[in-house]
Amino acid sequence: MLTTSTASAESTALPSISKNDIAPVANKDNQSLRQIAENNNLELSVVEQLNNNLDPDTPIPSGTPIYLPQNVEHAADYSEGTVNDNTILDFGNDLLRSYGRNPVGNPYANVPASIKSKYYDNLSSANRSAKVWIAYNESTYSYTAVNGQYYGRFQLTKSYLNGDYSKVNQEKTADRYVKNRYGSWEKAKQFWQAHQWY
């Protein structure tokens, strides 16, 4: 469990966050934990704790699941506060645990029916399966996962999304990207399996 406290004599421990509360994202470009912390404007010690205290300067293979505190499931359900002038999320209640994130569960749990119908149901079974597989391996199905310049369910660059982080735009942009680069989600998955990115 990750805990943080102030350095003063009246030290106050913040509530714990564990890896079970976080949707992992796939590492990009063989970055080290130090690079990931810098790219996400995070304290290195926090990133180290969430990622099994790996050597902060050793490159981590692309595709390796990385746990970042900004990817706490349902973080919007928590209030913000400050400790030593640093903004933090208040995890004082157990709402995170009551949601029970299940990364191998229903890949459509947070996909509105209209999006599922338009961006999944029209795909062949093999392409739909490959698209869901990539969404799981990139962000554990999270539309809000962040890893430096990569954002969302398919971990596309923020610039590629043109500032529109909506679920519809993520789906539309991912479909266009995959079609233009690989021709199909099946081929994109094959590439991902060989390179740990797509």
Side-chain angles (χ1 to χ4, degrees), residues 72-80 89-91 93 95-96 99:
V72 171
E73 291 286 299
H74 308 286
D77 294 336
Y78 297 90
S79 60
E80 285 187 355
L89 291 172
D90 176 10
F91 295 97
N93 57 47
L95 281 177
L96 278 179
Y99 279 105

Side-chain angles (χ1 to χ4, degrees), residues 87-131:
T87 301
I88 55 95
L89 291 172
D90 176 10
F91 295 97
N93 57 47
D94 290 326
L95 281 177
L96 278 179
R97 286 159 195 85
S98 71
Y99 279 105
R101 183 177 73 82
N102 179 3
V104 296
N106 182 355
Y108 307 109
N110 62 351
V111 178
S114 60
I115 290 176
K116 183 178 179 296
S117 174
K118 185 170 184 175
Y119 296 101
Y120 290 89
D121 293 347
N122 65 336
L123 297 173
S124 69
S125 175
N127 275 304
R128 183 172 47 251
S129 175
K131 183 176 183 178

Side-chain angles (χ1 to χ4, degrees), residues 30 64 66 69 72 87 99 108 132 139 158 177:
N30 295 318
T64 301
I66 299 295
V72 171
T87 301
Y99 279 105
Y108 307 109
V132 166
S139 69
K158 293 176 182 177
Y177 170 77

Side-chain angles (χ1 to χ4, degrees), residues 2-142:
L2 168 70
T3 58
T4 309
S5 61
T6 64
S8 70
E10 297 175 12
S11 137
T12 306
L14 296 176
S16 297
I17 302 171
S18 79
K19 286 170 47 172
N20 293 334
D21 300 326
I22 298 174
V25 293
N27 188 31
K28 305 287 186 188
D29 304 323
N30 295 318
Q31 295 181 76
S32 68
L33 288 183
R34 186 177 308 281
Q35 291 170 312
I36 292 167
E38 288 171 5
N39 291 341
N40 288 280
N41 198 26
L42 298 168
E43 291 291 327
L44 178 59
S45 62
V46 171
V47 176
E48 286 177 305
Q49 284 179 293
L50 289 172
N51 292 282
N52 302 323
N53 291 311
L54 296 172
D55 176 353
D57 297 310
T58 299
I60 301 167
S62 292
T64 301
I66 299 295
Y67 296 86
L68 302 175
Q70 69 262 35
N71 296 322
V72 171
E73 291 286 299
H74 308 286
D77 294 336
Y78 297 90
S79 60
E80 285 187 355
T82 58
V83 173
N84 290 344
D85 297 324
N86 294 313
T87 301
I88 55 95
L89 291 172
D90 176 10
F91 295 97
N93 57 47
D94 290 326
L95 281 177
L96 278 179
R97 286 159 195 85
S98 71
Y99 279 105
R101 183 177 73 82
N102 179 3
V104 296
N106 182 355
Y108 307 109
N110 62 351
V111 178
S114 60
I115 290 176
K116 183 178 179 296
S117 174
K118 185 170 184 175
Y119 296 101
Y120 290 89
D121 293 347
N122 65 336
L123 297 173
S124 69
S125 175
N127 275 304
R128 183 172 47 251
S129 175
K131 183 176 183 178
V132 166
W133 186 92
I134 288 174
Y136 174 78
N137 283 279
E138 287 292 325
S139 69
T140 3
Y141 309 131
S142 173

